[in-house]
Amino acid sequence: MDFVTYWNSLTWEKAFRIYWYFFIFELTRFVTLEYVVLWRWKYRRRRDRDKYQEATFRLFQEAPFVSIIVPGKNEGKHIYKLAKSLQNQTYRNFELIVIDDGSDDETEKICNTLSKNGFIDLFIRNYVRGGKASGANLAFRYSKGDIVVHLDADCSYSNDAIEKILVPFYFEPNIGAVGGNVQVRNESESLATSLQSIEYQNVIGSGRVVTSELGIYRIVSGAFGAFRRDILDRLGGWDIGPGLDGDITVKIRKLGYQVRFAPDALCVTSVPNTFRKLAKQRRRWDKSLIRFRVRKHKDVFVPNKAFQIPLFLSFVENVTFNLILNVKWYLYIVDMMINFSNMLGTIILMNLILYTLANYFKLIFFAPFRTSFRESWLGQVIYVPLSAIYTGYFLRIVRTYAYIAELLFKSSYKDPWNPGKTSFYAKARRI
Amino acid sequence: MNVKLKKPAETGLKSDKVWCHHELRFYLWDNLDPIDVFNLSDYDAVIISSQNVDLIKEKVKRFRSWSSSEIHLKPLFIIGSGSLINDPMVKGLVDGSLVSESHIDGIADVVRRIHSRKMKLDARLPSTFEGQLVNKLLGFAYTRSLEEINPVLNKESITGYVYPMLSINFLREEEGTQYQILNLMEEEGLLDGSFQDRVYICPSCSSGFLNYREVCSKCSSTHLHADDVVHHFPCAYIGPMKDFDSDGSGDLQCPKCDKLLHHIGVDYDKPSVVHTCQSCGQIQQNTPVHASCYSCETTVPTEQLQPTEIKSYTITKKGLHVAMNGYSNSEIDTDVVHGAVDLTTFSTILNMEVERASLLGSAKSCLGIINLHNVNQVYNQLGENGAYKLMTELVELVKSSAGRADMICFERAENLLLLQNEISLQEALNTLRSLKLLFNRLFEDRFPNGGVEIDTRSQLLTGGKNAQWHLNELHNAN
């Protein structure tokens, strides 16, 4: 009853004073701007249909040799399924290289068997774990392809995924890398996976279409990314992670190459099925923003000879909407607590309603722009209200924790995701 | 000590080659002696005299591989230095050594013991090669009181191991067959094997002299180059050693970040090894191992090599029984063939006939044998009932050509004995010749692919000798 009274008493001025954060940042950036850009992308896509077909034709005519590399630890159980799905690809001129980064399960046995039976072209086992970057680099060292496609073993790929991720190299000049569209496989497994599924659709399905269209696309996903061999040669492959996907994307852009997102190049992956596991994964991802954007590649902000506006904007957008606004959100809460303390509960509820409405808008109106395995988005309708809590509170708190841990303690260098022997040097060299 | 020279006239051999010791006669077989081995059957033992180890080996092998038990079971010694029989192959085939002629007393008992045990053996020669080898091996072990038949490591053997008394019967390239014989004997309960070793032999020629090589998984080339994979921790570069030592100086420098590598385990490590095929360029880590045979040049993956267990064998009671009574690889009971008498009855009648011949003096009787080589294949083809029918038919054929009073016996499924009374040797041979023709015609008409071969022999009965002696003589006659 109080809330109805409050709603009726709300004027535009008052609403803007209290919910400025939503109107200025969330509604403008993630709804309005994205919606406009998506229409532009749709228009250009329709306009360039013939050009896209021509690029596809050229791809098959030239048929560049592609090296599909799959580094990983204890991933043996996924490899057969992956190799089988690759055998059904529309683009077939590729080799499959699997690197076992010091697995302690049956991976070696499984991969040796698959290798003998022709499912894998090259299998190399490192008896000592060296980390994701060294695994990828070893595969790259022995690859022969003109284009290198980096995959995660636990992903599944649509039959034309390899073709679709290669076409952009023939569609536009100066493309250095192309990222694939990673979606959630296990969305119905738990509440955590359902919420991540909505998030992936927004952040990757449509969000990366937008950033790619704006020229500020910043992460070619390690789960599905294609790279030109000559560029990887110049870079010497991947650097130590975590966050090596974003790092190499930045390095490619620094060399002056374009990076594109291929929404039709679909793959699905299994995401963490509990909030605890999810928090752990996101802490690792979020720390990399500080480590790579703020520290390692801070030169992007410096207006020197190598200064690039799109790269600068990409960093600004990334840092602003993740780091600065994260801080700003806490300031906003403090502001509300000081100035509107008697209505704090109502304001939080109102915020949730606004975010939920925005999310429903995106679910419905962004649907025509999404490319997905999913037949219908209707199943997600019931999760949308929770999605506001998930992104607005859960992810924000995790992110805050990660930023603080990284800014104050450089905790990413202690992350067991990477072997200590490599993190030690990464920290010493500030990379 | 009682050594005397035998008179040359009695042997037709040079007198200085024959030593007599009491009732025993030893033949001294020296380097240049061109004597044929079969001429040595008249002596109780043979002593090889040579300083040449290779020549000794050759003589021992020739002697022991002889088909007649009168030769291959005969006591055999070496005179000279004891070091001459250090060769494990020779050691397993001779009965001892003596330093000089004056030591002959020391081996006389050995000779007597061997002869005494040899007399208990059934001297009949099985028709199959396998059967002959079984008899030979068991006979040798029995006469030497050997409880075990042991494998001997031998670099000259194609499989690396020999069972001396068995291996000498094969050409080097056929030595693998010895394991089949031993397996057969073990399966039939004649030997009891215990594991000693396992060898892998060529599936094509049974040779154990194999060259094991890592080969390219793609083109099978042996031209592979192995390189350590080096991981530089600071920059995550990883690649073969050659990437880091491009100038060949030995100093390792990272091709990605140009830093010098200092300490393994500190700033770099070597997590694996990668092989590069120099023929086709294939990169691989798990190179298959192929074995190339030195003998027939066949190359096969090691998984296809034939694993062969090397065993020590003890002779079972059944084996001892077979050693004394002879081996037959047919399971057919020859005692129940219609129209023929069983072997015991035949031996009794044979003894009586010998006695009658001795008493009458002028009585002439002949003992003949018809060997049916490879007939077991035909029996297997026919099955048990068919085999009995065929044997009955053969007996009828013999009856149709022989006299009414003549005795017929299937000694084994592979040979028939025929005791013919009041007949000259020539007549007996003629009868056997016509039977051979009839048998040949029968087998050629009905079993053209059977491969059965017939041979016949006959001999006059000798007074004062028993049935066993006559049967031995018949089997050992060439």
Side-chain angles (χ1 to χ4, degrees):
Chain A
M1 204 56 199
D2 288 345
F3 183 76
V4 176
T5 312
Y6 172 73
W7 177 263
N8 288 332
S9 67
L10 209 58
T11 62
W12 280 108
E13 292 79 15
K14 202 174 170 184
F16 191 78
R17 167 66 187 92
I18 298 172
Y19 304 109
W20 58 271
Y21 189 91
F22 171 78
F23 288 115
I24 293 176
F25 298 109
E26 301 292 341
L27 190 64
T28 310
R29 161 67 183 87
F30 293 109
V31 181
T32 314
L33 178 66
E34 285 199 359
Y35 196 54
V36 171
V37 174
L38 284 170
W39 273 112
R40 178 173 177 261
W41 169 75
K42 189 86 172 173
Y43 163 75
R44 279 163 35 106
R45 190 174 155 105
R46 182 180 288 267
R47 186 193 67 189
D48 295 337
R49 266 185 312 195
D50 291 344
K51 192 181 163 193
Y52 187 85
Q53 280 182 352
E54 191 191 322
T56 307
F57 177 75
R58 278 179 52 216
L59 167 69
F60 280 94
Q61 194 179 37
E62 290 182 22
F65 189 57
V66 174
S67 295
I68 297 176
I69 64 171
V70 187
K73 184 188 176 193
N74 293 344
E75 302 283 10
K77 53 189 176 291
H78 304 298
I79 299 293
Y80 174 71
K81 206 170 167 187
L82 172 71
K84 282 294 281 181
S85 82
L86 291 175
Q87 284 186 338
N88 296 324
Q89 287 296 314
T90 52
Y91 190 84
R92 303 296 297 274
N93 191 28
F94 63 80
E95 61 176 350
L96 174 60
I97 301 174
V98 177
I99 304 296
D100 173 6
D101 188 28
S103 295
D104 47 22
D105 63 357
E106 299 288 304
T107 294
E108 182 184 15
K109 201 173 163 186
I110 294 167
C111 290
N112 275 327
T113 307
L114 291 173
S115 186
K116 274 183 191 167
N117 290 292
F119 286 95
I120 299 172
D121 296 294
L122 175 60
F123 169 67
I124 300 178
R125 169 171 165 77
N126 278 340
Y127 290 89
V128 184
R129 182 172 163 243
K132 188 90 168 178
S134 74
N137 286 338
L138 183 60
F140 171 59
R141 172 60 183 79
Y142 286 109
S143 66
K144 300 183 191 117
D146 301 318
I147 294 172
V148 175
V149 176
H150 185 298
L151 303 184
D152 274 355
D154 61 347
C155 294
S156 306
Y157 299 83
S158 62
N159 288 353
D160 58 357
I162 300 296
E163 173 195 327
K164 296 295 184 188
I165 206 167
L166 296 177
V167 172
F169 289 103
Y170 291 84
F171 184 76
E172 280 182 86
N174 208 32
I175 298 293
V178 180
N181 188 351
V182 182
Q183 296 294 319
V184 175
R185 179 199 282 139
N186 54 337
E187 66 167 326
S188 56
E189 192 179 339
S190 65
L191 178 63
T193 59
S194 299
L195 294 173
Q196 285 175 84
S197 179
I198 297 172
E199 182 201 5
Y200 271 61
Q201 278 189 54
N202 287 330
V203 175
I204 298 176
S206 53
R208 287 189 179 172
V209 170
V210 172
T211 52
S212 181
E213 186 70 9
L214 293 173
I216 56 171
Y217 174 41
R218 59 179 177 269
I219 297 180
V220 171
S221 169
F224 194 20
F227 305 87
R228 262 172 53 181
R229 162 167 221 96
D230 57 335
I231 297 172
L232 287 178
D233 271 330
R234 284 176 67 186
L235 295 173
W238 285 262
D239 283 352
I240 300 164
L244 62 165
D245 317 344
D247 176 53
I248 199 161
T249 311
V250 173
K251 286 163 74 182
I252 291 168
R253 296 186 66 137
K254 278 183 175 178
L255 290 176
Y257 294 98
Q258 297 294 316
V259 180
R260 286 288 178 265
F261 176 66
D264 298 328
L266 283 170
C267 91
V268 286
T269 187
S270 293
V271 293
N273 56 0
T274 64
F275 285 103
R276 181 187 290 271
K277 288 181 194 167
L278 175 63
K280 189 179 172 190
Q281 181 200 55
R282 293 306 167 93
R283 280 203 300 274
R284 191 169 68 238
W285 290 6
D286 293 330
K287 283 174 194 171
S288 68
L289 177 125
I290 304 297
R291 181 161 157 183
F292 291 101
R293 311 277 160 183
V294 178
R295 291 204 190 107
K296 183 177 177 183
H297 296 293
K298 60 179 183 282
D299 57 319
V300 166
F301 297 103
V302 181
N304 55 17
K305 269 186 187 176
F307 183 76
Q308 292 179 38
I309 292 176
L311 189 56
F312 171 76
L313 290 176
S314 164
F315 266 55
V316 168
E317 191 267 350
N318 190 206
V319 171
T320 303
F321 282 88
N322 288 282
L323 179 61
I324 297 176
L325 290 193
N326 205 54
V327 176
K328 194 86 177 166
W329 186 82
Y330 288 102
L331 296 176
Y332 168 78
I333 293 293
V334 170
D335 175 31
M336 291 301 112
M337 286 170 77
I338 294 168
N339 297 308
F340 303 95
S341 57
N342 55 335
M343 289 162 48
L344 199 59
T346 311
I347 290 169
I348 289 172
L349 183 63
M350 190 66 189
N351 260 313
L352 285 175
I353 291 170
L354 289 173
Y355 276 93
T356 301
L357 288 172
N359 284 338
Y360 272 122
F361 179 86
K362 289 175 83 169
L363 184 72
I364 297 163
F365 292 100
F366 282 26
F369 309 109
R370 288 192 205 105
T371 314
S372 170
F373 282 108
R374 198 169 293 99
E375 294 288 325
S376 164
W377 44 265
L378 286 172
Q380 297 181 335
V381 167
I382 56 166
Y383 294 107
V384 168
L386 292 172
S387 179
I389 300 171
Y390 167 71
T391 51
Y393 294 92
F394 175 74
L395 290 184
R396 184 165 275 140
I397 292 166
V398 170
R399 200 180 303 139
T400 305
Y401 175 83
Y403 291 164
I404 292 169
E406 185 61 22
L407 280 166
L408 300 181
F409 306 109
K410 295 185 177 177
S411 61
S412 69
Y413 296 104
K414 296 169 195 157
D415 193 329
W417 186 83
N418 232 26
K421 62 189 179 188
T422 59
S423 291
F424 171 80
Y425 282 98
K427 190 176 180 182
R429 290 185 173 195
R430 298 180 179 180
I431 53 174
Chain B
M1 185 73 192
N2 183 3
V3 180
K4 64 173 184 175
L5 294 180
K6 182 85 180 168
K7 289 176 186 173
E10 287 183 39
T11 62
L13 299 165
K14 284 185 178 177
S15 60
D16 58 350
K17 290 184 179 296
V18 181
W19 297 347
C20 289
H21 179 76
H22 302 295
E23 81 286 9
L24 300 174
R25 297 192 307 157
F26 296 85
Y27 184 77
L28 195 65
W29 193 13
D30 62 25
N31 270 357
L32 304 172
D33 193 342
I35 187 173
D36 284 326
V37 174
F38 64 83
N39 283 333
L40 298 171
S41 60
D42 291 340
Y43 301 92
D44 297 306
V46 173
I47 300 169
I48 297 173
S49 169
S50 175
Q51 294 304 309
N52 185 324
V53 177
D54 291 334
L55 212 61
I56 290 173
K57 271 191 205 173
E58 191 196 319
K59 282 179 185 288
V60 169
K61 282 184 185 176
R62 256 181 79 204
F63 192 83
R64 291 292 188 221
S65 62
W66 205 256
S67 61
S68 165
S69 61
E70 280 304 308
I71 299 294
H72 68 243
L73 291 182
K74 195 175 289 297
L76 182 67
F77 301 90
I78 294 175
I79 190 166
S81 163
S83 65
L84 293 173
I85 58 165
N86 278 347
D87 181 277
M89 182 80 171
V90 173
K91 206 171 182 175
L93 293 171
V94 299
D95 297 297
S97 64
L98 61 165
V99 178
S100 68
E101 187 182 328
S102 59
H103 292 91
I104 203 158
D105 196 37
I107 62 171
D109 282 345
V110 177
V111 175
R112 288 189 193 102
R113 197 164 55 243
I114 291 171
H115 277 293
S116 141
R117 291 180 78 88
K118 184 170 167 288
M119 287 305 289
K120 296 176 187 169
L121 297 182
D122 180 350
R124 290 171 296 177
L125 198 63
S127 60
T128 60
F129 179 61
E130 291 81 5
Q132 289 171 19
L133 291 178
V134 172
N135 261 13
K136 197 176 205 178
L137 189 61
L138 291 175
F140 187 79
Y142 177 76
T143 52
R144 270 66 184 174
S145 306
L146 299 177
E147 289 177 1
E148 281 194 336
I149 299 170
N150 291 316
V152 174
L153 264 174
N154 189 326
K155 64 184 179 185
E156 289 169 18
S157 160
I158 196 168
T159 61
Y161 277 100
V162 291
Y163 294 86
M165 196 55 192
L166 193 55
S167 307
I168 47 155
N169 300 289
F170 298 99
L171 296 173
R172 187 172 181 272
E173 55 271 23
E174 291 172 350
E175 266 177 23
T177 314
Q178 67 183 338
Y179 301 108
Q180 293 171 19
I181 304 286
L182 290 165
N183 288 341
L184 173 80
M185 292 175 75
E186 195 177 9
E187 279 168 21
E188 295 199 5
L190 307 178
L191 299 175
D192 189 11
S194 62
F195 180 86
Q196 293 296 317
D197 197 0
R198 178 175 286 112
V199 292
Y200 288 85
I201 58 177
C202 171
S204 172
C205 71
S206 301
S207 171
F209 281 83
L210 303 164
N211 185 17
Y212 294 88
R213 306 92 51 90
E214 291 176 317
V215 298
C216 172
S217 57
K218 188 179 174 187
C219 71
S220 296
S221 166
T222 53
H223 195 188
L224 297 173
H225 177 74
D227 218 345
D228 284 326
V229 170
V230 176
H231 172 206
H232 188 216
F233 301 155
C235 70
Y237 185 86
I238 185 165
M241 180 69 92
K242 66 182 178 190
D243 289 4
F244 292 81
D245 187 21
S246 53
D247 59 359
S249 64
D251 292 332
L252 302 181
Q253 187 176 22
C254 179
K256 180 176 173 180
C257 65
D258 295 330
K259 298 282 182 194
L260 280 174
L261 278 60
H262 296 292
H263 302 289
I264 188 163
V266 177
D267 59 343
Y268 73 98
D269 65 3
K270 297 176 181 178
S272 62
V273 175
V274 166
H275 300 264
T276 308
C277 177
Q278 304 300 299
S279 297
C280 71
Q282 176 78 356
I283 306 294
Q284 57 220 296
Q285 203 170 25
N286 294 307
T287 47
V289 177
H290 282 193
S292 174
C293 177
Y294 279 111
S295 303
C296 68
E297 296 182 16
T298 301
T299 298
V300 291
T302 48
E303 303 82 46
Q304 289 177 24
L305 290 175
Q306 195 179 316
T308 303
E309 284 192 359
I310 305 297
K311 296 178 179 176
S312 277
Y313 296 93
T314 50
I315 300 165
T316 61
K317 282 187 177 173
K318 186 178 175 185
L320 281 176
H321 176 81
V322 169
M324 287 187 281
N325 297 290
Y327 172 79
S328 168
N329 52 357
S330 168
E331 292 179 355
I332 294 169
D333 183 0
T334 53
D335 290 350
V336 297
V337 179
H338 186 69
V341 297
D342 62 82
L343 186 59
T344 313
T345 310
F346 187 86
S347 297
T348 308
I349 294 169
L350 179 58
N351 276 331
M352 287 165 64
E353 188 58 27
V354 171
E355 207 172 312
R356 190 180 73 89
S358 299
L359 285 172
L360 296 176
S362 60
K364 289 187 290 184
S365 292
C366 288
L367 177 64
I369 187 167
I370 305 170
N371 286 315
L372 312 170
H373 299 285
N374 304 325
V375 77
N376 282 319
Q377 290 179 26
V378 174
Y379 291 152
N380 291 338
Q381 193 182 322
L382 291 172
E384 196 174 344
N385 288 337
Y388 281 123
K389 277 185 188 170
L390 176 64
M391 291 164 85
T392 308
E393 215 172 315
L394 295 175
V395 170
E396 289 303 319
L397 271 180
V398 176
K399 277 187 172 176
S400 67
S401 302
R404 290 178 62 189
D406 295 348
M407 299 299 295
I408 305 163
C409 166
F410 260 104
E411 186 187 24
R412 294 192 185 117
E414 306 91 4
N415 60 26
L416 273 155
L417 298 173
L418 178 61
L419 178 61
Q420 295 173 284
N421 301 325
E422 299 303 326
I423 192 170
S424 70
L425 181 60
Q426 192 54 51
E427 285 171 319
L429 289 172
N430 288 342
T431 306
L432 289 177
R433 200 172 296 124
S434 62
L435 279 171
K436 183 178 176 179
L437 285 173
L438 287 170
F439 276 31
N440 270 334
R441 197 174 302 153
L442 182 145
F443 282 107
E444 279 169 13
D445 287 351
R446 295 191 18 208
F447 311 101
N449 299 319
V452 179
E453 289 177 12
I454 316 290
D455 77 60
T456 60
R457 284 194 291 276
S458 189
Q459 64 186 34
L460 276 170
L461 296 187
T462 307
K465 303 289 185 183
N466 63 11
Q468 192 58 55
W469 182 90
H470 279 92
L471 289 171
N472 288 349
E473 286 294 302
L474 192 65
H475 285 296
N476 291 330
N478 285 310

